[in-house]
Amino acid sequence: MGNSSSMLTQYDIEEVQEHCNHTSGNSVTVPKCASLFIFQRLLRMLDGLNFKEFVAFLSAFSPRATLQQKVEFIFKVYDSDGNGKVTFSDMLEVLRDLSGQFISEQQREQVLTHVLEEAGYTKNSLLGLSDFMKVLCSFISNKFLSM
């Protein structure tokens, strides 16, 4: 899969086993992708991974994965250029992929702006992992509190 050597060290094997221990039945099932665009984004994330990295990638889909592992994975989906920061544009692109033609571009921007503002950020904010987590937590708590 990647350009790295395919030889696994004992440490690599133990790390792969650790990832597998977080999965039920030592296998990982990948949920159906809601969107072809998201599926393509996930495939791009796989490009260049060695086996150990591939297992780590799949472990985020496990029901035994921690919330932190899942949030880190989601962050990587949004951080398409891998620079460790998520921009308004990055989030808008994923929202566009998820919503398709169901809502207009203007509606997407309004929703995203509102979500960011609720968490104390603006359209110009560069979100690191902790900032991204704060936005997610704010969105989730506001969503469930308003029900």
Side-chain angles (χ1 to χ4, degrees), residues 69-82:
Q69 288 172 310
K70 291 177 187 275
V71 170
E72 287 173 6
F73 179 82
I74 293 168
F75 180 79
K76 289 176 185 175
V77 170
Y78 279 81
D79 181 20
S80 59
D81 62 2

Side-chain angles (χ1 to χ4, degrees), residues 35-146:
S35 162
L36 178 59
F37 297 107
I38 292 298
F39 183 69
Q40 290 171 345
R41 182 181 291 268
L42 293 174
L43 285 177
R44 282 194 303 270
M45 290 174 66
L46 289 171
D47 188 37
L49 297 183
N50 64 31
F51 181 72
K52 182 175 82 170
E53 294 164 337
F54 177 70
V55 171
F57 172 88
L58 289 180
S59 70
F61 292 99
S62 166
R64 294 185 186 176
T66 65
L67 178 60
Q68 181 70 28
Q69 288 172 310
K70 291 177 187 275
V71 170
E72 287 173 6
F73 179 82
I74 293 168
F75 180 79
K76 289 176 185 175
V77 170
Y78 279 81
D79 181 20
S80 59
D81 62 2
N83 69 353
K85 299 288 182 189
V86 172
T87 65
F88 183 82
S89 178
D90 292 332
M91 291 182 279
L92 193 58
E93 183 180 330
V94 172
L95 187 56
R96 190 178 299 120
D97 289 348
L98 291 172
S99 64
Q101 298 175 350
F102 293 109
I103 63 175
S104 70
E105 188 71 12
Q106 182 181 6
Q107 289 171 317
R108 278 190 282 271
E109 288 183 23
Q110 288 173 344
V111 167
L112 187 51
T113 299
H114 180 73
V115 168
L116 286 170
E117 288 173 354
E118 287 284 323
Y121 296 94
T122 69
K123 289 174 67 170
N124 297 323
S125 298
L126 295 175
L127 306 178
L129 179 58
S130 62
D131 301 311
F132 185 77
M133 187 173 236
K134 183 179 172 188
V135 171
L136 279 180
C137 289
S138 174
F139 173 72
I140 291 168
S141 64
N142 288 334
K143 181 74 172 164
F144 288 112
L145 291 176
S146 67

